Amino acid sequence: MKRTFRSLATTTVVLTLLLIAWGGIVRATGSGDGCPDWPTCFGRWIPRLEYHTLIEYTHRLLAFLAGCASVALAAVGGWSLIRKGPVERVTAWLAVALLPLFIVQALIGGWIIRSGEDPSVVTLHFAVAFIVLGLVVVIAARTRLGTRAGGDRSYAGLTAITATATYALLLVGTYVRAENAGLAFREWPLMGQSLVPDLSLPGAVAMFAHRMLAIVVVALVTWTMVRARTMTPRSSLLVRLSTAALVLLVLQVLVGGANVLTELATWARATHVAMSALIWATVIALAVAARVEPAGDRTADGETAEAPAVRPSSMGDTIRAYVALTKPRIIVLLLIITVPAMILAAGTVPSPALIVATLVGGTLAAGAANAMNMYLDRDIDEVMRRTRQRPLPGHRIEPDAALRFGFVLAAVAYGFLAITVNVLAAALALSAIAFYVFVYTMWLKRSTEQNIVIGGAAGAVPVLVGWAAVTGSIAMPAIVLFGVVFLWTPPHFWALALRMREDYAAAGVPMLPVVRGEDETRRQIFLYSLVLFGATLVLIPIASMGPLYTATAVVLGGTFVYRCLQLWRQPTDDRSWRVFKFSLVYLAALFVAVALDALV
């Protein structure tokens, strides 16, 4: 009986997914009145061979098949309750509860026909459909994963919040479709150049709420994925489900954009509904798995391990620890390259208010990325001498608190920049956070010696943010400045990595000196310094730079190349350290020259 119940649960999940997806086709093709009466179609049980009629009747046929599967599942669940069979009691009761819920859903379907497809009734129909799908997924997941609560409580709570937010997103999206408000804003992904657009347009409020909820859900699912991947030991099931949910959400966002760009093409609308059902099923499965799947800090016998206690500290110490999470010394350098880009874009000094707003938003964004980086790299930081005193390996802040802090800073940074600067600058800052956290920290850093080469793109984004803050767009001079910072990053960081080679080797990080050796690293530093020198000269014709910048770029670039050549030919730790320190002076002085040249 248990195998039969499991097979029925899986079959019901598949049929319910197909039913909701086909319901999307019914809405997208305008076939809701293909059968104007209910439960018959034009007074007949065998439909006419007409396009809209067949689409609507197929939906009813799928509803019948899903209903039959639900009846069978409820029957097996009820029999197990009566006979005290092998099906777990709560799961069996959930199966029994599925039957009346499905009947209510069918009656609402008939109500849609009689109401002339009233938007509120259509929304209710989809709302109940997603409850049915969620319940079926819970039943199927419980039969396969078991019911013993062995998961991480905080993670289970996070997945429950994510599921609630996802359901709210689905409901609002359903209402947007029912009200035909999909084109309330014809821009995508932006809604004009304002965070809060004109809400007086028809359907604007519903669409605005839908897009804001989508941002919230993407953030929450991202959070669940990060948490799942950083548990020790981690559950491969939670990683797969959370990653699948995030991938589906990203695809859904792209399909949402296709709805706007194609002006609600039938395929885009239908795909959007089908993807909604898949996302909902995946999030529910993740929430169930989070309650039963062993994960988190555990001992060899499966018991929850005691996490190192956070050291008691004063309010001042706690504040200093959170500030340290943001890596303020790195932020200062990022701000130094932002202001010259703004001055070059404006041709003069922009308004102090704009400069301050851009710097504050940039600080928040960089701090968010650094805090999440510290959360993800806390195991490495415990090994490396240079980083052992950071807040997380020093047990001055709880890891989960650091992750929450990073997410909150990212949200505040985006909102602040979008309101006080413009949406493009905010979007660029958010993209830098995402690239630094997911592409560099979670993927490249531990997998390839080219980690800092590709990952350096995140540190170059502030010049784009500064340019966009002034102009509301991106131009070629900004791209050249981006390239300068991008090419500067490898020789700058590798000079430091030469001194920290043993630490990186001990931590298992494949930095270039560890993988390719010190001599090859010094050679690469020299080669990158040459390319960097050339890139700084490209800015002269592109941005019509004058003699002040030209002279500075030549002197600084020549000095940097000479120092890197010396490091290659006469390698010492002291020389690599001097190259590292000079690289900081080099970048700051070069960008100061950009600003001064633009002013004079």
Side-chain angles (χ1 to χ4, degrees):
M1 179 181 289
K2 195 170 184 179
R3 287 186 177 181
T4 301
F5 188 83
R6 180 183 298 176
S7 299
L8 280 172
T10 303
T11 302
T12 308
V13 169
V14 173
L15 288 172
T16 307
L17 281 170
L18 289 173
L19 175 61
I20 294 175
W22 199 268
I25 295 176
V26 171
R27 298 296 307 167
T29 58
S31 301
D33 57 355
C35 291
D37 50 338
W38 186 87
T40 57
C41 187
F42 291 100
R44 303 164 56 185
W45 291 105
I46 304 298
R48 299 175 181 179
L49 297 180
E50 297 176 356
Y51 176 73
H52 292 296
T53 299
L54 289 176
I55 289 177
E56 170 62 19
Y57 202 79
T58 300
H59 181 60
R60 295 187 184 185
L61 178 60
L62 284 171
F64 173 75
L65 294 175
C68 289
S70 298
V71 169
L73 192 65
V76 175
W79 182 258
S80 181
L81 287 172
I82 294 171
R83 296 290 186 177
K84 296 182 180 180
V87 180
E88 190 267 335
R89 187 173 182 81
V90 174
T91 307
W93 274 115
L94 291 175
V96 172
L98 182 64
L99 182 56
L101 196 59
F102 216 102
I103 293 172
V104 170
Q105 171 71 343
L107 294 175
I108 296 174
W111 186 13
I112 290 177
I113 303 298
R114 295 187 177 90
S115 69
E117 300 194 40
D118 181 271
S120 299
V121 182
V122 172
T123 302
L124 178 63
H125 187 59
F126 270 90
V128 178
F130 283 117
I131 291 176
V132 170
L133 175 60
L135 184 58
V136 171
V137 171
V138 169
I139 294 169
R142 287 173 67 92
T143 59
R144 290 185 176 276
L145 301 178
T147 58
R148 181 182 177 183
D152 184 292
R153 289 185 178 180
S154 65
Y155 187 73
L158 175 61
T159 58
I161 293 171
T162 303
T164 302
T166 303
Y167 187 68
L169 173 64
L170 296 175
L171 288 188
V172 175
T174 299
Y175 187 76
V176 167
R177 287 191 297 272
E179 285 281 8
N180 294 316
L183 295 178
F185 303 112
R186 293 182 179 271
E187 303 91 1
W188 186 89
L190 306 178
M191 296 173 285
Q193 277 295 322
S194 173
L195 180 62
V196 181
D198 182 4
L199 299 180
S200 63
L201 301 172
V205 174
M207 177 52 78
F208 176 69
H210 183 57
R211 292 195 182 183
M212 291 298 102
L213 276 171
I215 293 174
V216 171
V217 171
V218 169
L220 286 171
V221 171
T222 301
W223 195 339
T224 65
M225 188 270 286
V226 172
R227 284 283 308 277
R229 287 179 175 273
T230 54
M231 290 177 177
T232 308
R234 67 182 185 180
S235 161
S236 60
L237 177 61
L238 296 181
V239 170
R240 289 198 302 271
L241 287 173
S242 58
T243 303
L246 183 58
V247 170
L248 287 171
L249 264 174
V250 172
L251 292 176
Q252 178 75 320
V253 169
L254 297 178
V255 172
N259 271 276
V260 176
L261 299 177
T262 63
E263 296 189 348
L264 301 179
T266 299
W267 70 266
R269 295 176 66 190
T271 303
H272 206 52
V273 175
M275 292 289 290
S276 298
L278 284 173
I279 291 168
W280 176 237
T282 305
V283 170
I284 290 297
L286 175 63
V288 175
R291 293 182 60 83
V292 301
E293 185 72 4
D297 296 326
R298 295 179 182 277
T299 60
D301 60 2
E303 295 297 321
T304 301
E306 289 291 333
V310 172
R311 296 172 183 170
S313 59
S314 65
M315 179 64 71
D317 290 338
T318 301
I319 292 174
R320 282 189 289 272
Y322 275 101
V323 170
L325 275 180
T326 67
K327 301 182 184 178
R329 285 185 294 180
I330 294 178
I331 292 177
V332 170
L333 185 62
L334 297 178
L335 298 182
I336 287 174
I337 66 175
T338 301
V339 175
M342 298 178 71
I343 294 174
L344 182 61
T348 184
V349 178
S351 71
L354 180 61
I355 293 177
V356 170
T358 305
L359 293 183
V360 170
T363 298
L364 293 172
N370 289 331
M372 287 187 266
N373 168 266
M374 280 205 187
Y375 170 83
L376 293 166
D377 281 352
R378 61 191 187 278
D379 57 331
I380 295 175
D381 288 346
E382 286 186 348
V383 175
M384 297 181 63
R385 290 168 295 176
R386 181 172 63 92
T387 56
R388 284 174 186 167
Q389 298 307 312
R390 285 178 173 176
L392 293 181
H395 308 302
R396 288 178 282 156
I397 297 176
E398 292 282 359
D400 288 352
L403 183 60
R404 286 194 296 271
F405 178 65
F407 268 88
V408 170
L409 276 186
V412 173
Y414 177 82
F416 181 83
L417 284 171
I419 292 171
T420 62
V421 182
N422 59 54
V423 176
L424 178 58
L428 287 169
L430 196 61
S431 71
I433 296 172
F435 192 91
Y436 185 68
V437 172
F438 299 110
V439 177
Y440 171 66
T441 305
M442 295 187 68
W443 176 29
L444 296 173
K445 185 170 184 177
R446 306 187 190 214
S447 62
T448 173
E449 71 271 16
Q450 295 299 310
N451 45 23
I452 201 63
V453 176
I454 305 170
V461 171
V463 297
L464 301 181
V465 174
W467 192 281
V470 172
T471 67
S473 63
I474 299 298
M476 186 55 67
I479 295 174
V480 174
L481 287 175
F482 174 92
V484 167
V485 181
F486 179 78
L487 292 170
W488 167 86
T489 304
H492 160 73
F493 199 89
W494 284 336
L496 174 65
L498 284 171
R499 283 179 61 90
M500 303 297 171
R501 181 183 180 279
E502 293 182 2
D503 273 3
Y504 282 119
V509 179
M511 285 296 173
L512 190 65
V514 176
V515 177
R516 303 282 295 276
E518 295 184 13
D519 188 60
E520 175 63 18
T521 302
R522 295 186 187 96
R523 188 177 77 89
Q524 291 290 334
I525 289 173
F526 171 66
L527 293 176
Y528 266 92
S529 70
L530 287 175
V531 178
L532 172 63
F533 189 13
T536 62
L537 301 180
V538 170
L539 187 65
I540 298 170
I542 292 294
S544 300
M545 304 302 292
L548 176 59
Y549 171 80
T550 301
T552 304
V554 170
V555 172
L556 284 175
T559 304
F560 192 38
V561 169
Y562 176 72
R563 285 173 175 263
C564 293
L565 179 61
Q566 279 191 315
L567 174 62
W568 185 21
R569 289 181 171 178
Q570 301 172 6
T572 64
D573 284 348
D574 183 61
R575 199 178 295 278
S576 66
W577 183 244
R578 288 203 301 269
V579 168
F580 169 74
K581 289 192 295 184
F582 180 78
S583 68
L584 295 171
V585 176
Y586 168 84
L587 190 68
L590 184 72
F591 272 79
V592 168
V594 168
L596 293 177
D597 192 278
L599 292 175
V600 302

